[in-house]
Amino acid sequence: MSNTATPAPISLTEHNIKVLLVDDQRIVGETIRRMLADIPGLEFKFCSDPTIALQEADVFSPTVILQDLVMPGVDGIEMVRAFRANASTAATPLIVLSSKEEATTKAEAFAAGANDYLVKLPDKLEIVARIRYHSNAYILRLQRDEAFAALEEQQRVIAQELAEAAAYVRSLLPAPMEGGSPVPSDWRFITSTSLGGDSFGYHWLQPDTLAIYLLDVCGHGVGAALLSVSAINTIRNHTLPDTDFAMPSQVLSALNRAFPMEKQDGKYFTIWYGVLNTTTRELRYASGGHPPAIVVSAGGDFHRLDLPGVIIGAFSSAQFTDATITLDPGSKLFVYSDGCYEVFHPTSGMMTLDQFGGILAASGSAKGLDHVINEVQEWQDRPEFEDDFSLIQLQV
């Protein structure tokens, strides 16, 4: 469920019918001018010198060109080709006017790029009808091209804004903690769209107490990202009232009160929140409808920290409970979003949580999290993820 802003409506330029007549006979120019004089909004320009016709067209920007086929010193067919080769008139409708009714001449004119052919001087009703037809089609083309250009610009601006928003979301993520830290950490974050609904973090509550959390907002796009950022900042900045952030169940209860679905455009999120005491290696944790964290022992065995809990924001009366576990030295704690393992292969089917646990257990210190990503991509037989891929690893 995305919540992108509606772009401003595209305003198209109004175009008048503009007729450029190229003919060496001034009497023809005057006759055509009178035929068109009573058409509201129509602009008419007469060019009696074919050698400057291209320049006149560049300045005038006609919606239709009427061109005589027989003029002294100029090959009419070559002039048609010149209009077609000229950038500003390459697509402008061109009606050839000729005293010749020969099929061969007509064929040559059309082959050179003419759109229509009239034997001059035509009846007023006929020439007006053809001018309207060709001009209206050309004006629609101009407006279509203008709309496409405006749409491309809107898309460019939106893409830039989404990129800036994605960069901001990524800036909120914590830096990996190096080997000198009491709890070395690493993570991977791959969004399935420009903006996803996942976010995560960890920060020290006390010198030996680390809060760890990962949340997943339903849907993707701007709306999901805004809720995700709001919730993660609330946790990071400890702005939930009457909440002990060392007690995961209290944090989830406070989040449930702070972000009800009815005030978040129907959006909810899942979250895993844990607090690790690095001295005792005791981990206290709670889940709000989130996949269980997975612990991999130093020997390579894994087990899931299953704990029931409802999604955040759906039920105002929801209750959350804490669980505790003491982690063995050398264990790894993995916290992740469901996009890491809910992947599908046409023949292998959906990956199970235990299969994902096996991948985590096999990642080892040498292979690392990139191995996990590669294994999941190989399982689904393609590099792209349908959902956001968020994975935290902490070494105890």
Side-chain angles (χ1 to χ4, degrees):
M1 295 183 294
S2 64
N3 189 27
T4 53
T6 303
I10 296 173
S11 178
L12 300 179
T13 303
E14 295 292 334
H15 295 270
N16 291 329
I17 295 176
K18 301 175 74 173
V19 180
L20 172 65
L21 172 62
V22 183
D23 196 302
D24 63 299
Q25 301 180 52
R26 294 189 175 275
I27 189 170
V28 174
E30 179 61 18
T31 302
I32 298 294
R33 185 193 69 78
R34 293 185 180 185
M35 286 182 179
L36 307 179
D38 60 351
I39 300 178
L42 184 143
E43 300 178 46
F44 175 77
K45 187 170 186 62
F46 173 59
C47 176
S48 61
D49 182 357
T51 63
I52 64 170
L54 289 177
Q55 296 95 306
E56 293 282 0
D58 287 341
V59 174
F60 185 56
S61 299
T63 60
V64 66
I65 298 170
L66 306 179
Q67 183 209 303
D68 189 14
L69 201 58
V70 181
M71 293 177 285
V74 174
D75 185 323
I77 296 297
E78 288 302 317
M79 172 154 283
V80 173
R81 293 194 179 98
F83 274 121
R84 287 294 168 253
N86 185 46
S88 70
T89 57
T92 307
L94 191 150
I95 302 174
V96 165
L97 299 176
S98 176
S99 57
K100 298 180 179 181
E101 185 66 82
E102 302 167 354
T104 302
T105 303
K106 292 181 179 180
E108 288 180 342
F110 285 122
N115 299 90
D116 210 340
Y117 191 103
L118 287 174
V119 176
K120 66 177 186 183
L121 284 170
D123 181 82
K124 174 181 177 179
L125 288 177
E126 182 177 11
I127 194 169
V128 168
R130 298 202 186 202
I131 286 174
R132 285 188 186 276
Y133 172 77
H134 289 294
S135 286
N136 289 338
Y138 183 63
I139 288 171
L140 287 176
R141 175 174 179 157
L142 292 176
Q143 292 179 328
R144 180 205 65 187
D145 292 346
E146 184 180 353
F148 281 158
L151 183 60
E152 286 180 350
E153 176 61 17
Q154 284 186 351
Q155 291 175 331
R156 185 194 66 79
V157 171
I158 291 172
Q160 180 178 345
E161 292 177 348
L162 287 176
E164 292 173 355
Y168 171 69
V169 171
R170 186 168 287 271
S171 74
L172 299 177
L173 303 179
M177 294 188 287
E178 304 297 335
S181 168
V183 187
S185 67
D186 197 7
W187 52 260
R188 294 293 183 271
F189 178 55
I190 304 171
T191 57
S192 59
T193 59
S194 298
L195 281 176
D198 285 7
S199 192
F200 56 83
Y202 39 77
H203 65 272
W204 295 99
L205 301 176
Q206 300 292 336
D208 63 348
T209 308
L210 182 68
I212 309 151
Y213 39 90
L214 190 151
L215 63 87
D216 181 1
V217 177
C218 65
H220 306 94
V222 175
L226 287 174
L227 177 53
S228 178
V229 167
S230 180
I232 212 74
N233 279 332
T234 297
I235 297 171
R236 287 176 49 187
N237 298 324
H238 293 187
T239 55
L240 295 169
D242 303 320
T243 301
D244 182 353
F245 282 82
M247 297 295 293
S249 59
Q250 288 192 29
V251 174
L252 269 55
S253 294
L255 288 171
N256 192 60
R257 293 191 299 270
F259 297 98
M261 285 178 58
E262 58 270 21
K263 294 185 178 180
Q264 306 299 328
D265 194 27
K267 289 181 170 51
Y268 60 86
F269 60 90
T270 68
I271 185 172
W272 188 94
Y273 186 98
V275 177
L276 176 66
N277 185 304
T278 59
T279 302
T280 64
R281 297 190 307 281
E282 181 185 80
L283 175 68
R284 182 182 297 271
Y285 59 95
S287 175
H290 201 79
I294 292 177
V295 176
V296 177
S297 69
D301 297 323
F302 76 89
H303 65 276
R304 296 159 29 179
L305 304 184
D306 291 298
L307 183 65
V310 299
I311 58 178
I312 302 298
F315 307 101
S316 60
S317 60
Q319 300 292 316
F320 301 92
T321 59
D322 291 329
T324 60
I325 183 175
T326 299
L327 303 177
D328 294 332
S331 297
K332 289 182 180 178
L333 174 67
F334 292 92
V335 186
Y336 50 91
S337 62
D338 57 12
C340 294
Y341 71 93
E342 287 186 348
V343 296
F344 183 81
H345 187 274
T347 56
S348 302
M350 184 75 73
M351 179 184 290
T352 67
L353 193 49
D354 284 341
Q355 287 170 326
F356 179 63
I359 292 174
L360 295 178
S363 63
S365 58
K367 296 178 180 178
L369 298 186
D370 289 335
H371 169 76
V372 177
I373 294 173
N374 292 337
E375 287 294 303
V376 176
Q377 289 172 328
E378 184 175 337
W379 177 279
Q380 64 178 8
D381 199 24
R382 60 192 180 92
E384 300 83 12
F385 292 104
E386 287 290 332
D387 199 358
D388 300 336
F389 186 106
S390 300
L391 174 62
I392 307 174
Q393 170 190 283
L394 299 107
Q395 179 83 45
V396 179

